[in-house]
Structures are given as structure tokens and as C-alpha cells.
Amino acid sequence: MAFSEINGTKWFSEVNSMWAGQAMSLEVEEMLLDTKSKFQHIQVFKSKTYGTVLLLDGIIQATERDEFSYQEMITHLPMFAQGKAKKVLVVGGGDGGALREVCRQRQVLS
């Protein structure tokens, strides 16, 4: 989990023993935020192919390119399994993605 420079290009690479033999590397266009809170190291950068990327303690949490897949799964699967929910409570909600997906369900009133 580190930033490096290769041939004048800045890269972020996430290597984790949970996924032995593979790594995720993204070309960094611009560092947007690099700060430490009381609880974690927060970094946000603009990548060449995945848009804006959020890292917490050096681990990719979300990217602009693929965040929808997580939000869709945690929202639509339970809603389809439940049936025709008209009232929905989103607890937590983080970046608002789950709420966005709930609002796409036509039967939801509030």
C-alpha cells in the first residue's frame, strides 16, 4: 500500500496478503487530500482510469468508477427479497449511495 513513481508517472499500489499473487495499481493524476484524523489516515486522489479514489489507512474504499456495484448490491437485493417496500430507513448511509439506489425503486414513498 504505497505511492511510487515509475518513469515520471505517480502510481498507487495496494498489495495485501489476503490476495496473494495480485495487486491493484492505479495511475495518480492528482492528490486531492492527504490527512490524518484521530482514527485513520485519509487520502483522496484523482486516478487516470477510476476517477476519484478514497483510501483509508492505505486501503481502497471506493472509486468513482465502480462504487455503484457495491451500492446496488446492498440496496436492490434486500428490497427485491422483501417485496414492495414503501417506507425505507437507511441507517448510516455514508456517502449517500444506498439512498440514491433506494430512490430508484418506484414503489418507495418515503
Side-chain angles (χ1 to χ4, degrees):
M1 295 163 257
F3 289 91
S4 60
E5 193 168 308
I6 303 169
N7 297 328
T9 304
K10 190 169 183 179
W11 289 84
F12 168 77
S13 296
E14 181 179 335
V15 181
N16 192 308
S17 59
M18 287 178 25
W19 304 287
Q22 68 181 23
M24 176 64 167
S25 294
L26 297 171
E27 186 176 344
V28 178
E29 288 187 335
E30 179 185 4
M31 181 61 76
L32 302 173
L33 176 72
D34 189 351
T35 189
K36 290 188 178 183
S37 76
K38 186 176 172 182
F39 304 101
Q40 58 206 353
H41 187 187
I42 305 161
Q43 295 169 298
V44 179
F45 67 91
K46 186 81 171 166
S47 74
K48 187 170 187 171
T49 54
Y50 276 71
T52 305
V53 179
L54 168 65
L55 307 176
L56 295 179
D57 294 327
I59 299 170
I60 297 172
Q61 301 298 308
T63 72
E64 196 171 9
R65 178 178 171 183
D66 63 5
E67 62 80 28
F68 71 91
S69 59
Y70 172 76
Q71 308 295 354
E72 287 177 354
M73 294 297 280
I74 66 168
T75 304
H76 296 298
L77 290 177
M79 289 194 68
F80 289 141
Q82 188 281 334
K84 296 279 186 184
K86 294 190 185 310
K87 293 184 178 183
V88 177
L89 171 66
V90 178
V91 178
D95 63 2
L99 179 58
R100 177 193 65 218
E101 295 302 321
V102 165
C103 291
R104 290 184 177 167
Q105 297 277 334
R106 295 178 199 265
Q107 79 277 4
V108 174
L109 301 175
S110 64

